[in-house]
Amino acid sequence: MVRVLLIAMAMAVLTVIYGCPAGIAQGKGSGTNQAAYQGYISRLRQKFDDNWFVPDGNNKVTITSTLDTDGTVSDIATASQPQSEPAEMAANEAFVKAQPFEALPGGKKVKLTAVFQSASTQHGDGSRHINITLDPIK
């Protein structure tokens, strides 16, 4: 029971820290929009994480795309630092398997940026993190 509470608390903290960027939920009812976007980002992060096989090494892969109001993805670009084909393939596979994405809560097209960061060894030790931002497209 304590472990479940700790996991729930950690998820809540990550949602607050990496949730909705300023500007995505502005205007009337922005508190509701921000909560909706934070929930959207949290669910999306979980879908990515469920499908992400972390390769060995220290990797940072950034995937950017345009996300339409209905959840349709276009204009996908992938980059890694340091450049790593296995890391890019693993992040792209997680991105593709997580689709189809839900419709966006705010009804506006956004730029989706997902950063897959990991440190792993052949023995299975390491860490992993996915940071997601949604930025309005003007």
Side-chain angles (χ1 to χ4, degrees), residues 1 18 20 24 33 47 55 71 75 82 86 89 98 102 109 138:
M1 180 69 170
Y18 297 106
C20 182
I24 194 78
N33 284 343
K47 287 177 79 172
D75 303 323
M89 289 175 55
E102 300 172 27
K109 189 183 286 192
K138 297 177 183 180

Side-chain angles (χ1 to χ4, degrees), residues 22-104:
I24 194 78
Q26 293 181 350
K28 187 175 181 181
S30 65
T32 302
N33 284 343
Q34 187 166 356
Y37 274 105
Q38 286 177 342
Y40 185 91
I41 289 169
S42 180
R43 291 186 302 278
L44 189 56
R45 182 182 301 109
Q46 187 61 53
K47 287 177 79 172
F48 288 160
D49 196 46
D50 289 346
N51 292 293
W52 184 29
F53 170 77
V54 178
D56 288 344
N58 294 323
N59 301 293
K60 180 179 179 183
V61 178
T62 303
I63 299 176
T64 58
S65 67
T66 300
L67 190 55
D68 210 336
T69 57
D70 65 355
T72 304
V73 178
S74 61
D75 303 323
I76 302 168
T78 304
S80 59
Q81 186 64 25
Q83 188 169 4
S84 168
E85 187 175 329
E88 288 181 19
M89 289 175 55
N92 278 317
E93 185 174 339
F95 190 86
V96 168
K97 285 183 176 182
Q99 295 179 45
F101 298 152
E102 300 172 27
L104 288 165

